[in-house]
Amino acid sequence: MGAITGRKGTGDGAGRRNRRSEETIATILATTEDIILRSGSDRVSILEVCEKAEVSRGTFYRYFSSQGDLLDAFSRHKRDNFHSALILAAQVTDDPDKRFRAVVAYLEAYLESGQARRLLKVAPEYALGFFQRIFHDSVLRLQDVLAIVFDAWDARLGIRIDRELVCEMMIRYVLSEQLAPRGPTQRERSSRIESLFLGLVSQRLGLTSKDLI
């Protein structure tokens, strides 16, 4: 069934009901995340979620049909948060070079937060499934937010860059850092992400990174 945002309606009453529904769903999902990060996905029970979120079982079942449905909704929620934050980070500027560095900074901040790595430790099977589910969409989102960057690089170089391949390798790098982090400082990691990104493009074209930015 999945999470919903309330029944359609008109007027302020419907708006208030929708907001309450959204707030209730957000509370349930936040509680689910807290339980998973503490105990793993196998330990998530509807009873505990209801108690900690302070909602009745009837309210819970209004939005989720089962534990599996809740975990699916939680995965979608985390995926959407990752993509929304990526888009928000990129949209701060239309300057191609600044946007490139804004995206690099976002990816570095995502790795620095360590929540995905923590999830991998407490719920490895669930985390791996989550990584697989978000992979394709994340590659597409990265291509979208970097479109103006690639357009600018294409114009400078007079050749079209393989955008899908570059973005796929970047997402693979981010996921690999969750599985086997190298443990650099924040500054070193950010520099490595930028160098890797530029290297993927320039090496494929027989150029140096200075040709790009």
Side-chain angles (χ1 to χ4, degrees):
M1 178 172 65
I4 60 176
T5 55
R7 295 183 177 86
K8 292 182 179 180
T10 59
D12 292 341
R16 284 194 294 271
R17 285 194 296 274
N18 287 340
R19 285 194 295 274
R20 283 198 300 271
S21 294
E22 291 168 359
E23 291 169 359
T24 300
I25 291 168
T27 298
I28 291 172
L29 292 176
T31 301
T32 301
E33 180 170 23
D34 180 64
I35 294 171
I36 289 175
L37 291 177
R38 284 189 296 102
S39 308
S41 60
D42 291 341
R43 299 295 299 276
V44 175
S45 73
I46 293 174
L47 178 60
E48 182 179 13
V49 169
C50 290
E51 290 177 348
K52 292 187 179 300
E54 298 182 346
V55 300
S56 69
R57 291 173 67 90
T59 297
F60 176 91
Y61 283 115
R62 188 180 304 162
Y63 305 111
F64 307 98
S65 62
S66 63
Q67 181 200 54
D69 189 30
L70 171 64
L71 292 176
D72 284 343
F74 176 69
S75 292
R76 292 192 298 272
H77 170 69
K78 297 300 292 182
R79 177 201 62 194
D80 292 346
N81 281 353
F82 175 78
H83 294 158
S84 296
L86 174 62
I87 292 169
L88 186 63
Q91 287 178 340
V92 298
T93 177
D94 287 330
D95 178 273
D97 296 335
K98 291 180 180 178
R99 176 170 290 199
F100 165 69
R101 291 197 167 92
V103 170
V104 168
Y106 168 73
L107 293 175
E108 189 282 323
Y110 177 76
L111 290 173
E112 190 69 18
S113 71
Q115 277 204 332
R117 193 173 302 128
R118 184 178 171 192
L119 178 63
L120 187 63
K121 289 182 178 179
V122 298
E125 185 175 349
Y126 178 82
L128 290 173
F130 171 71
F131 292 160
Q132 291 172 354
R133 290 180 64 172
I134 71 169
F135 179 77
H136 180 67
D137 283 346
S138 297
V139 172
L140 295 178
R141 295 299 185 279
L142 190 58
Q143 288 184 73
D144 288 343
V145 302
L146 289 177
I148 65 171
V149 177
F150 287 127
D151 287 344
W153 290 354
D154 287 348
R156 291 173 194 172
L157 301 172
I159 188 171
R160 185 170 177 81
I161 295 167
D162 189 336
R163 305 173 184 212
E164 182 178 1
L165 176 63
V166 172
C167 291
E168 178 180 327
M169 294 305 295
M170 285 307 302
I171 295 299
R172 288 188 184 280
Y173 170 77
V174 171
L175 295 180
S176 72
E177 276 290 303
Q178 312 300 337
L179 295 169
R182 294 180 63 181
T185 64
Q186 179 174 346
R187 183 174 180 180
E188 288 171 340
R189 183 185 291 124
S190 182
S191 176
R192 186 187 306 136
I193 292 175
E194 181 173 334
S195 296
L196 176 61
F197 206 119
L198 295 175
L200 286 169
V201 176
S202 59
Q203 288 176 17
R204 295 269 306 172
L205 302 176
L207 304 167
T208 68
S209 59
K210 293 180 180 179
D211 295 312
L212 297 172
I213 59 175

